């Protein structure tokens, strides 16, 4: 395949991943009758099954043996699995508790937090416009805290957990899908144990079928819905420049925001709008600086 074809496929795959992530609130909202802890457990179990089958079909158990033979990599993936498990749990709970707009705020903030982590942990340096973007975003978060009378802890929890997760994945030299599969295996046994406990008379309705066939099918499909965008992202990010990935990543939180305001009808007054305008302005500064720097390098 030509370089142009590779780039086009990479662009389509990466865009698909962010569109699916952006529409996630609508999917999890369909499962509102199921307790959030069981949704996340089903998501982990079915994702692990799907990814495990996919990886074993490609290369047997070789992918797992390679990772187990690297204790540091295995340990970092174990920590990453805890972070992504927390991130998924908080996200699904927030969606079904009516906080979709705040979850979108978390993923709008995330790129700027990732930049700060790069400075603090990896010793990277920020350009002046990047510092300006971080400062403008901090003003926006401060405004939302003051107006709402509380720290937007859902947004901060999502952005911090995913930001540190991204940092760990940057430090781990492992094939992306194999890394995701390993993380799923770390979470599999706790999730399976939780589901067995729930089904033994503690609110579970999957085995008994009390939630209905539609909800049961959606729970099983949660594995594919979770795995497909991860695989598409892993495929696409290897074929397009990181600056393009950086711009495309705003598709996800933008769609989440629109789902929350236009579809799920969450309240969004003028005070919140002011805070979001600061965040969006920071992202615009950040994106424009990235494009300018990329052109200068080329």
């Amino acid at each position: 395949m030509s370089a142009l074809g590779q780039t086009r496929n990479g662009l389509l795959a990466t865009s698909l991943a962010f569109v699916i992530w952006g529409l996630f609130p609508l999917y999890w909202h369909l499962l509102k009758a199921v307790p959030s802890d069981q949704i996340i457990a089903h998501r982990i179990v079915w994702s692990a099954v799907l990814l495990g089958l996919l990886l074993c079909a490609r290369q047997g158990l070789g992918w797992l043996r390679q990772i187990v033979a690297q204790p540091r990599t295995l340990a970092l993936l174990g920590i990453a699995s805890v972070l992504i498990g927390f991130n998924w749990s908080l996200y699904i709970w927030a969606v079904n508790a009516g906080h979709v707009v705040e979850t979108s705020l978390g993923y709008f903030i995330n790129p700027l937090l990732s930049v700060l982590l790069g400075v603090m942990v990896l010793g990277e340096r920020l350009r002046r416009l990047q510092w300006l973007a971080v400062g403008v975003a901090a003003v926006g978060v401060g405004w939302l805290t003051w107006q709402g009378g509380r720290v937007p802890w859902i947004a901060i929890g999502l952005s911090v957990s995913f930001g540190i997760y991204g940092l760990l994945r940057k430090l781990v030299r492992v094939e992306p899908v194999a890394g995701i599969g390993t993380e799923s295996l770390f979470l599999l046994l706790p999730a399976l144990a939780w589901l067995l406990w729930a089904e033994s008379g503690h609110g579970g309705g999957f085995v008994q079928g009390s939630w209905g066939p539609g909800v049961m099918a959606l729970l099983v499909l949660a594995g594919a819905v979770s795995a497909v965008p991860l695989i598409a992202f892993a495929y696409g990010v290897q074929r397009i420049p990181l600056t393009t990935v950086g711009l495309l990543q705003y598709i996800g939180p933008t769609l989440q925001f629109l789902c929350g305001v236009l579809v799920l009808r969450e309240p969004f007054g003028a005070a919140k709008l002011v805070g979001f305008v600061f965040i969006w302005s920071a992202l615009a500064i950040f994106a424009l600086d990235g494009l300018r720097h990329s052109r200068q390098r080329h």
Side-chain angles (χ1 to χ4, degrees):
M1 185 180 291
S2 66
L4 180 60
Q6 290 275 5
T7 301
R8 183 178 62 250
N9 289 346
L11 189 63
L12 289 172
T14 308
S15 300
L16 174 65
F18 286 121
V19 168
I20 293 174
W21 282 328
L23 297 176
F24 260 176
L26 302 181
Y27 192 91
W28 305 127
H29 190 72
L30 294 174
L31 293 167
K32 200 168 184 179
V34 182
S36 296
D37 58 328
Q38 293 183 54
I39 297 176
I40 183 62
H42 277 284
R43 183 181 186 182
I44 290 168
V45 169
W46 298 114
S47 295
V49 169
L50 181 62
L51 287 167
L53 290 174
L54 176 65
L55 287 163
C56 290
R58 284 198 322 184
Q59 49 187 305
L61 290 175
W63 64 277
L64 186 57
R65 284 194 290 267
Q66 290 176 4
I67 292 175
V68 171
Q70 306 172 62
R72 177 179 178 275
T73 297
L74 190 64
L76 288 176
L77 287 175
I79 298 171
S81 71
V82 174
L83 288 167
I84 200 63
F86 170 80
N87 184 273
W88 284 3
S89 301
L90 178 58
Y91 179 77
I92 291 174
W93 172 85
V95 166
N96 286 343
H99 300 291
V100 174
V101 171
E102 190 170 337
T103 66
S104 73
L105 174 64
Y107 290 111
F108 276 127
I109 294 171
N110 183 70
L112 300 172
L113 179 67
S114 296
V115 169
L116 280 179
L117 287 172
V119 171
M120 294 186 293
V121 179
L122 302 179
E124 297 175 356
R125 292 188 176 183
L126 293 188
R127 298 181 292 275
R128 281 181 295 179
L129 284 179
Q130 289 178 317
W131 277 118
L132 176 62
V134 171
V136 172
V139 171
V141 173
W143 171 267
L144 290 170
T145 300
W146 180 62
Q147 285 293 323
R150 66 173 182 87
V151 174
W153 62 271
I154 296 172
I156 292 173
L158 289 172
S159 59
V160 169
S161 59
F162 199 76
I164 299 175
Y165 170 79
L167 175 65
L168 289 178
R169 289 308 306 269
K170 185 177 178 65
L171 297 173
V172 174
R173 301 297 180 184
V174 65
E175 195 271 328
V177 180
I180 296 163
T182 306
E183 292 166 7
S184 298
L185 289 181
F186 271 110
L187 297 171
L188 177 59
L189 286 181
L192 195 56
W194 186 262
L195 286 179
L196 290 173
W197 176 82
E199 294 295 336
S200 64
H202 297 90
F206 187 82
V207 173
Q208 298 175 0
S210 58
W211 292 327
V215 169
M216 292 167 65
L218 288 173
L219 286 171
V220 174
L221 287 173
V225 170
S226 300
V228 166
L230 289 171
I231 295 169
F233 179 77
Y235 172 87
V237 77
Q238 296 174 353
R239 290 164 174 79
I240 58 176
L242 283 177
T243 50
T244 305
V245 176
L247 293 174
L248 290 176
Q249 69 182 321
Y250 300 124
I251 294 173
T254 300
L255 288 175
Q256 289 177 30
F257 173 80
L258 293 175
C259 285
V261 175
L262 300 180
V263 181
L264 302 178
R265 301 294 182 181
E266 291 187 9
F268 188 74
K272 274 189 178 180
L273 178 60
V274 171
F276 269 77
V277 166
F278 275 106
I279 304 295
W280 292 330
S281 300
L283 293 175
I285 294 169
F286 183 72
L288 290 172
D289 177 73
L291 285 173
R292 188 188 65 147
H293 184 65
S294 177
R295 288 173 181 169
Q296 288 175 347
R297 288 175 60 190
H298 286 303

